[in-house]
Amino acid sequence: MIDQQQLIIKMNLDAWNTQITKADKLFNSLSDEQLQEQVAPGRNSGIYLLGHLTAVHDALFPLLGLGEKLYPQLEDIFIKNPDKSGIEKPLTKDLRNYWSEVNNKLSQHFNQFNIDEWFQKHTSVSDEDFEKEPHRNKLNVLLSRTNHLVYHLGQLAFLKK
Amino acid sequence: MIDQQQLIIKMNLDAWNTQITKADKLFNSLSDEQLQEQVAPGRNSGIYLLGHLTAVHDALFPLLGLGEKLYPQLEDIFIKNPDKSGIEKPLTKDLRNYWSEVNNKLSQHFNQFNIDEWFQKHTSVSDEDFEKEPHRNKLNVLLSRTNHLVYHLGQLAFLKK
């Protein structure tokens, strides 16, 4: 029985890792100039989506009880405000590094999680609610963020010529 | 222990259902004329992606051992060939119905699966390979198709004004 649980957690973690690898390849294949472009007319720029994904992944540290965000300044620029807020964005080369660093550090944590940790509640659900809704656990956060990443990857793919 | 397995399967199935519901809402919010448009300049049309997603989901019946495809004619038009193949496409209103029917019928099957069925091999992996790679099971197909759907949903969202 333990085997099936390990297997299913591996499947969900593999799905996350596969999409992170696809995103890495895509970002590496795009020049800084290409990232400045909008993914479609009137839509978000590549650089905004890179920052947005980095900020959302960075928020996983506190949400999963893994410590503080590495780059808390990204939330205001890339989550709370839209692309054309007029707020100055970090340099593209710095954002590329933030993206890698956040995901590498998350990966180190994920590889050390045991099965029970994945079933623990995340930090934004109360003990009472978690008792009624045990699916609001850390693994579900991973599943949800995988889908969030894939959604924007479908859009970022349009930056490739 | 059984509880955790049921929980994790529910989480993965919920993720699929959530995205199907989002897709339904999106398709219902778009007129036939909007679906004719490309999601971005030079990219697939909404109608092609609707047909593509329907064909890919229809292929889940044989892949998961649930019977024959409902609309086998879609594979040639929407999987084997690109949008501008020149092959005549079904009427948009018919495609909308195919989409609903395929997903409704899949959903009926999924709701009846027990835990062990999700861990069974899908039909395109051999017994020998499955012994070495037990993650190539039916649940992993669901996970993979959820991500496929989300990827294209990120693109289809651009049809909304």
Side-chain angles (χ1 to χ4, degrees):
Chain A
M1 284 304 174
I2 282 289
D3 277 350
Q4 283 192 349
Q5 283 180 70
Q6 279 175 330
L7 189 63
I8 202 168
I9 284 170
K10 172 185 158 48
M11 284 158 46
N12 281 273
L13 197 50
D14 281 354
W16 166 266
N17 287 325
T18 297
Q19 300 301 332
I20 293 286
T21 301
K22 282 188 186 178
D24 284 343
K25 279 188 189 164
L26 180 59
F27 288 133
N28 289 336
S29 76
L30 296 168
S31 66
D32 289 0
E33 291 69 32
Q34 283 176 302
L35 280 176
Q36 299 299 328
E37 293 173 23
Q38 293 177 337
V39 296
R43 305 293 175 170
N44 288 318
S45 64
I47 199 69
Y48 182 82
L49 288 177
L50 172 58
H52 176 69
L53 289 168
T54 305
V56 167
H57 291 193
D58 199 20
L60 289 175
F61 292 106
L63 187 59
L64 299 178
L66 304 173
E68 300 294 313
K69 291 180 186 175
L70 305 186
Y71 305 103
Q73 71 274 22
L74 300 181
E75 180 178 355
D76 192 49
I77 312 172
F78 295 110
I79 298 182
K80 292 192 173 169
N81 284 288
D83 198 356
K84 289 167 189 161
S85 63
I87 303 173
E88 194 182 356
K89 295 182 175 63
L91 295 174
T92 303
K93 75 173 170 54
D94 290 336
L95 270 181
R96 290 180 187 273
N97 288 335
Y98 300 166
W99 164 257
S100 296
E101 206 178 330
V102 164
N103 292 312
N104 288 343
K105 198 163 174 190
L106 281 175
S107 187
Q108 290 170 20
H109 284 288
F110 292 165
N111 289 334
Q112 290 172 3
F113 270 28
N114 61 39
I115 291 181
D116 287 338
E117 279 175 288
W118 284 115
F119 286 100
Q120 287 167 2
K121 78 180 191 68
H122 56 73
T123 60
S124 73
V125 59
S126 70
D127 287 336
E128 298 78 44
D129 287 347
F130 187 60
E131 208 161 300
K132 287 173 283 183
E133 301 173 306
H135 64 276
R136 298 176 70 177
N137 53 42
K138 294 179 182 179
L139 189 67
N140 214 28
V141 171
L142 184 75
L143 193 58
S144 153
R145 291 312 178 280
T146 303
N147 285 333
H148 175 260
L149 170 58
V150 172
Y151 185 87
H152 290 304
L153 279 182
Q155 303 174 333
L156 283 158
F158 291 159
L159 291 176
K160 288 178 76 172
K161 290 304 160 227
Chain B
M1 285 304 176
I2 283 290
D3 278 350
Q4 282 193 352
Q5 282 180 73
Q6 280 176 329
L7 189 63
I8 203 168
I9 284 170
K10 173 185 156 49
M11 283 158 47
N12 280 273
L13 197 49
D14 281 354
W16 166 266
N17 288 324
T18 297
Q19 300 301 331
I20 293 287
T21 302
K22 283 189 184 175
D24 284 344
K25 280 189 188 163
L26 180 60
F27 288 132
N28 289 336
S29 76
L30 295 168
S31 67
D32 289 0
E33 290 70 32
Q34 283 176 303
L35 280 175
Q36 300 298 328
E37 292 174 25
Q38 294 176 336
V39 296
R43 305 294 175 170
N44 288 318
S45 64
I47 198 69
Y48 182 83
L49 288 176
L50 171 58
H52 176 70
L53 289 168
T54 305
V56 167
H57 291 192
D58 199 18
L60 289 175
F61 292 107
L63 187 59
L64 300 179
L66 304 173
E68 299 295 314
K69 291 179 185 176
L70 305 185
Y71 305 103
Q73 70 275 23
L74 299 181
E75 181 179 354
D76 192 50
I77 313 172
F78 294 110
I79 297 182
K80 291 191 173 170
N81 283 287
D83 197 356
K84 289 167 190 163
S85 62
I87 303 173
E88 195 181 355
K89 295 182 176 64
L91 296 174
T92 303
K93 74 172 171 52
D94 290 336
L95 270 182
R96 290 180 186 273
N97 289 336
Y98 300 166
W99 164 256
S100 295
E101 206 177 328
V102 164
N103 290 312
N104 287 343
K105 199 163 173 189
L106 281 175
S107 187
Q108 289 169 21
H109 283 288
F110 293 165
N111 289 335
Q112 290 171 6
F113 270 27
N114 61 37
I115 291 181
D116 286 339
E117 279 174 288
W118 283 115
F119 285 99
Q120 287 168 0
K121 77 180 192 69
H122 56 73
T123 60
S124 74
V125 60
S126 70
D127 287 336
E128 297 78 44
D129 286 348
F130 188 60
E131 209 160 298
K132 287 173 284 182
E133 302 173 305
H135 64 276
R136 297 175 70 177
N137 53 42
K138 294 180 182 179
L139 190 66
N140 214 29
V141 171
L142 184 76
L143 192 57
S144 154
R145 291 312 177 280
T146 304
N147 285 333
H148 175 259
L149 171 58
V150 173
Y151 186 88
H152 290 304
L153 278 182
Q155 303 174 334
L156 284 159
F158 291 159
L159 291 175
K160 290 178 74 173
K161 293 300 162 228

